[in-house]
Amino acid sequence: MISVEYKVQGPVAVICFSNPPVNVLSHAMRAEIHAALDRAEADAAVRAIILAGTENAFSGGADIKEMGTPKASAFPTLHDMIARLDEMKKPVIAAMSGFSVGGGPILGLGCHYRLARKGTRISFPEIDIGRVATPGTQLLPRLVGVDYSIELLVGGRFVSPERARQMGLIDEVIDGDVVEGALKFAETLLASGKGVRRVRDMTVPPSDGKAEMDRKFPRGMKLPGLIIDCIQAATRMNLEEGMAYAHHIAQDVLKTTEHKAVAYATAAERIAAKIPDVPPDTPKRAIRSAAVLGAGTMGGGITMCFANAGIPVTVIEVKQEALDKGLAIIKRNYLATASKGRLTEADVNKRMALITGSLDRNSASTADIIVEAVYEDLDLKCEIFKALDAIAKPGAILASNTSGLDIDKMAAGTKRPEDVIGAHFFSPANVMRLLEVVRGAKTSKEVIATVMDLAKKLGKVPVLSRVCDAFICNRMMKPVRSQNNVMLEEGASPKQIDDALLAFGMAMGPYRAADNSGIDVGWRGRQSRKKAGLPFVADDLVDGLCEQGRWGWKTGKGWYRYEPDGRGGFSRTALPDPDVDAYLAAHRKKLGVQPRDISEQEIVDRYMFALANEGAKILEEGIAIRASDIDVTYLTGRGFPLHRGGPMFNADVVGLKNVVAAIERFKTYYQGELWQPSKLLLQLAAEGRSFKDYDATKK
Ligand code: NAI
């Protein structure tokens, strides 16, 4: 129910609008505010006007439900609201509190003064739905300059009122009730004789270089550049010209695949939280404390995630040395963040104070959740789950961070398989947003709901997977890795493959990435399995390279070579190495393969379709709920380029018929038997359908 309250206090009209839960600016709401502004302008007793939302939200912006409907473009649009504010003869003060997002702060830009209560969350996130915020691109530069406009409109992140005040976006930060504060502000304003102050009349201030924008976009993504172009137009055009220019670009953007991909990716994150048989009202357990087993690479990062969320956490190791090392790395990570100004010393101390180190497994007995992050060894993990079952308090959640081992086997050794779940963080755990939540055959709905909810509290994006070897994200990489190596055997070079994927928009090519993480890891794994008489998949190509001491960047040579950096290490610049070319040539000769030229398009297609094909198998087996969940894992866990929407979305863009035709062609190539098309993919292609259609049938 919307309501717009109009009251006059002394010489000030206070217009308070309410449209729970986040005060979206629906058509009806805009019309009522517009009418209230007319009334205030006509009211002889009124000399200034305050525009306020509710305590929880100034406004969450446009009404998504009205997007693309006639209501979105019906008078008064947000544009008309700004024009109305421009015509006002009495000063209008925006009093923001709670949440002020998108159209919210843009409405504020139409006002003559802007105040925000402490703690208000302000942002212009249109970029995250693949859009250009037309009025923002023209008004913001006039108020805060080009640099801060880029930070706000391209960064798209929340800014605090204090930072917004520093930028000049906010005139005053109010401590306490924002309407009370605005009334005082109005009193001073009227006493000073200052009247309307229209943003449209301001001239764009010179660049000051103070913006903070650490957001990186994939190569080839056009939207950030287009937004910057619109912002820069404000420096040379008047408001009408600038608005027309930005409007034109904004409309063109809506027709692009990039727009659809970005909007899809943002929506997909929200949809991933929906689990058909675990409704939102499923009871959840309170997580007030945590324990993490293992203070290694992952355990340390997971411990930080809990501390960052304010949850006390005990990290448990087997040896003092490993514990000390793990805690020291955590401290070092926090100090590194503090040195960049992103944490205060007090924050670091507060987070460190939430972390307790222990060598005694029993100290996990009081935790609400225990996350196991010890070596990737099923026997060890099963033994640990059995031990945890004996010490954990009733109702505690027992989670494993395994990269792909069988959660059901771990659960089977406990008397409470319903409390066992996978919580697969991605490395570095304190940075990567993805959390694969792995549902075992007996995991209870309550436990699933609790961990999905906890993930959000830890700042993660949860995606539910069922148990299978390597779960969703890692499983899909397996056929891709073999395709890459087969392409090397057929004639491609590591650099050709990396460059093709970089041009597609990937953050890093697979061979640079392999050099960075160390190619000896897999080789050692195969050696130890061989020694122990365990099954393993041979990889002669990689093993041969490792046998030459080419273990990647850390040894100065791997798939590339790296010059010494003069400090005992190696430069990060990857240089193609003729020795690798010679090694590959010899390897091909041994296999009897006549090398051929492989085009950039073929490299990208083989990589992308191997992903989509395995993704389709994951869908048909019911491991992932929907194709968009699979895309979320790649976007948030593997640096898949946002403007490509994810491997499944990309396959839809190519057209599943074309994907199948390409796979049929690849089957005739060297090692073509590796291509086993998914039944679901074949079926959807034959029916002229897409993964998106398939998702829609599961709503
Ligand atoms: P790591 O070798 O860095 O750390 C494992 C730690 O566990 C060591 O510090 C070790 O002392 C400790 N540990 C061994 N037995 C223990 C016990 N009984 N009680 C307490 N601590 C014990 O290994 P990492 O990389 O952190 O991997 C841990 C788990 O996370 C594995 O299951 C792995 O598959 C998974 N994982 C690893 C990722 C990665 O990129 N490294 C990504 C996602 C999951």
Side-chain angles (χ1 to χ4, degrees):
M1 252 298 275
I2 69 160
S3 78
V4 174
E5 187 188 62
Y6 180 92
K7 59 182 182 210
V8 179
Q9 278 184 249
V12 183
V14 182
I15 301 170
C16 286
F17 52 96
S18 163
N19 184 11
V22 289
N23 256 355
V24 288
L25 295 169
S26 61
H27 175 246
M29 171 68 102
R30 294 193 305 267
E32 289 220 23
I33 298 174
H34 199 275
L37 288 171
D38 287 346
R39 180 173 167 189
E41 186 81 318
D43 191 336
V46 169
R47 291 172 56 212
I49 299 143
I50 293 170
L51 204 52
T54 62
E55 203 170 318
N56 292 337
F58 177 69
S59 175
D63 188 345
I64 297 179
K65 284 194 245 90
E66 289 186 359
M67 274 186 187
T69 72
K71 283 189 174 170
S73 50
F75 181 87
T77 61
L78 187 55
H79 206 92
D80 299 324
M81 301 286 289
I82 293 169
R84 178 70 192 95
L85 286 159
D86 278 345
E87 283 166 7
M88 299 289 289
K89 307 232 162 24
K90 299 170 183 175
V92 183
I93 302 157
M96 304 195 241
S97 53
F99 204 62
S100 184
V101 170
I106 288 181
L107 181 64
L109 287 171
C111 297
H112 308 118
Y113 300 92
R114 282 150 298 278
L115 314 178
R117 198 187 67 199
K118 260 190 165 163
T120 303
R121 288 160 67 74
I122 305 167
S123 79
F124 298 84
E126 283 81 355
I127 188 164
D128 289 323
I129 48 170
R131 287 171 176 258
V132 178
T134 304
T137 61
Q138 301 309 302
L139 291 170
L140 265 179
R142 290 176 159 78
L143 188 63
V144 304
V146 166
D147 295 334
Y148 287 143
S149 300
I150 294 175
E151 175 179 333
L152 291 165
L153 294 172
V154 179
R157 306 283 193 238
F158 281 109
V159 280
S160 65
E162 291 76 13
R163 172 101 181 120
R165 166 91 184 78
Q166 194 189 335
M167 293 174 166
L169 174 60
I170 294 297
D171 295 288
E172 216 169 84
V173 182
I174 307 291
D175 198 357
D177 185 86
V178 74
V179 175
E180 293 289 321
L183 282 165
K184 282 203 194 92
F185 183 89
E187 199 180 309
T188 317
L189 187 77
L190 291 174
S192 74
K194 283 189 202 146
V196 298
R197 189 193 56 175
R198 302 188 305 179
V199 173
R200 65 174 296 135
D201 298 333
M202 299 178 185
T203 43
V204 180
S207 199
D208 52 18
K210 282 191 188 145
E212 286 173 18
M213 225 268 291
D214 58 3
R215 185 167 181 181
K216 291 199 175 62
F217 293 95
R219 192 185 294 219
M221 182 168 169
K222 297 201 176 66
L223 189 57
L226 291 173
I227 296 174
I228 293 173
D229 182 28
C230 292
I231 292 171
Q232 278 162 347
T235 63
R236 41 172 215 279
M237 296 182 193
N238 68 31
L239 192 77
E240 278 67 34
E241 286 166 2
M243 285 283 199
Y245 181 82
H247 179 72
H248 184 72
I249 291 181
Q251 291 303 308
D252 277 354
V253 161
L254 295 182
K255 295 176 204 139
T256 61
T257 303
E258 177 172 320
H259 159 73
K260 294 187 185 95
V262 175
Y264 161 88
T266 302
E269 283 189 18
R270 205 177 49 243
I271 295 168
K274 295 186 183 158
I275 307 167
D277 68 331
V278 184
D281 60 357
T282 306
K284 296 172 193 81
R285 298 182 191 170
I287 303 291
R288 296 197 190 90
S289 63
V292 176
L293 250 66
T297 310
M298 295 307 289
I302 298 168
T303 300
M304 290 174 76
C305 292
F306 282 111
N308 295 348
I311 300 172
V313 50
T314 305
V315 52
I316 303 163
E317 261 291 348
V318 269
K319 285 194 214 117
Q320 187 69 47
E321 206 185 324
L323 182 61
D324 291 345
K325 188 173 160 207
L327 290 172
I329 293 173
I330 292 175
K331 179 92 190 253
R332 204 168 65 212
N333 283 341
Y334 279 139
L335 291 176
T337 313
S339 73
K340 290 179 200 139
R342 293 205 205 115
L343 273 185
T344 63
E345 201 185 319
D347 290 332
V348 174
N349 293 338
K350 203 165 127 196
R351 290 175 197 202
M352 284 307 293
L354 287 168
I355 302 172
T356 311
S358 169
L359 294 176
D360 179 6
R361 209 183 266 173
N362 287 315
S363 47
S365 63
T366 54
D368 293 320
I369 184 166
I370 306 174
V371 184
E372 163 282 305
V374 307
Y375 304 125
E376 187 76 339
D377 175 327
L378 185 61
D379 292 342
L380 173 66
K381 291 193 193 268
C382 286
E383 178 211 309
I384 284 183
F385 270 79
K386 204 165 177 184
L388 289 178
D389 186 26
I391 57 161
K393 67 178 184 186
I397 294 175
L398 309 182
S400 171
N401 180 52
T402 174
S403 311
L405 298 175
D406 192 338
I407 301 287
D408 291 331
K409 291 209 170 114
M410 297 175 212
T414 71
K415 288 186 207 75
R416 41 176 135 178
E418 66 283 0
D419 291 339
V420 176
I421 194 163
H424 181 208
F425 290 76
F426 284 68
S427 183
N430 53 315
V431 177
M432 296 302 284
R433 293 170 66 226
L434 177 62
L435 181 68
E436 273 184 349
V437 177
V438 188
R439 161 184 208 166
K442 294 191 176 153
T443 311
S444 76
K445 292 180 183 178
E446 190 177 298
V447 168
I448 296 170
T450 305
V451 176
M452 294 293 285
D453 191 56
L454 172 68
K456 288 195 197 144
K457 292 190 179 125
L458 300 185
K460 303 291 170 199
V461 180
V463 173
L464 192 71
S465 172
R466 284 202 184 261
V467 174
C468 70
D469 183 23
F471 314 136
I472 301 173
C473 201
N474 288 348
R475 170 172 159 183
M476 282 166 71
M477 270 326 284
K478 288 186 183 182
V480 174
R481 253 183 236 123
S482 354
Q483 272 314 304
N484 291 339
N485 287 350
V486 171
M487 285 193 275
L488 290 186
E489 290 177 344
E490 278 188 274
S493 72
K495 183 166 164 37
Q496 253 178 317
I497 295 180
D498 282 355
D499 285 353
L501 291 158
L502 279 181
F504 179 83
M506 301 295 285
M508 190 181 273
Y511 290 101
R512 264 305 290 279
D515 269 3
N516 280 353
S517 52
I519 42 184
D520 57 316
V521 182
W523 172 54
R524 283 178 209 286
R526 283 187 289 277
Q527 276 180 326
S528 69
R529 293 187 78 84
K530 193 173 173 183
K531 220 158 140 192
L534 294 167
F536 67 99
V537 181
D539 197 339
D540 294 347
L541 179 69
V542 177
D543 290 358
L545 204 71
C546 289
E547 277 155 20
Q548 297 174 19
R550 302 192 72 107
W551 297 349
W553 170 78
K554 62 189 170 191
T555 54
K557 44 191 185 171
W559 293 109
Y560 294 90
R561 67 181 184 85
Y562 303 85
E563 295 283 346
D565 65 358
R567 282 174 276 127
F570 296 96
S571 145
R572 283 278 175 192
T573 311
L575 303 164
D577 191 340
D579 288 351
V580 173
D581 296 341
Y583 169 71
L584 287 172
H587 183 79
R588 288 175 198 128
K589 206 163 176 187
K590 201 165 74 191
L591 295 173
V593 177
Q594 185 63 36
R596 67 172 176 96
D597 282 340
I598 300 187
S599 70
E600 187 176 308
Q601 188 64 51
E602 183 183 330
I603 293 171
V604 170
D605 287 351
R606 282 170 69 169
Y607 187 102
M608 293 301 154
F609 302 165
L611 277 180
N613 187 39
E614 194 64 25
K617 291 181 189 175
I618 285 171
L619 267 184
E620 82 194 25
E621 290 168 27
I623 302 296
I625 299 173
R626 30 181 114 72
S628 64
D629 286 6
I630 298 178
D631 283 334
V632 172
T633 69
Y634 266 76
L635 290 161
T636 56
R638 285 271 175 256
F640 197 91
L642 176 66
H643 65 300
R644 302 281 191 176
M648 311 305 274
F649 181 91
N650 180 60
D652 276 353
V653 169
V654 173
L656 299 190
K657 262 193 185 127
N658 299 329
V659 172
V660 168
I663 292 179
E664 290 304 324
R665 201 169 61 246
F666 302 151
K667 273 165 92 176
T668 65
Y669 293 1
Y670 171 70
Q671 296 267 341
E673 61 280 7
L674 288 173
W675 287 98
Q676 304 282 343
S678 129
K679 284 192 209 77
L680 178 67
L681 173 64
L682 292 175
Q683 183 197 329
L684 291 176
E687 291 168 0
R689 293 171 64 204
S690 61
F691 290 125
K692 194 170 172 215
D693 285 345
Y694 179 74
D695 279 1
T697 60
K698 307 184 93 197
K699 266 190 183 153

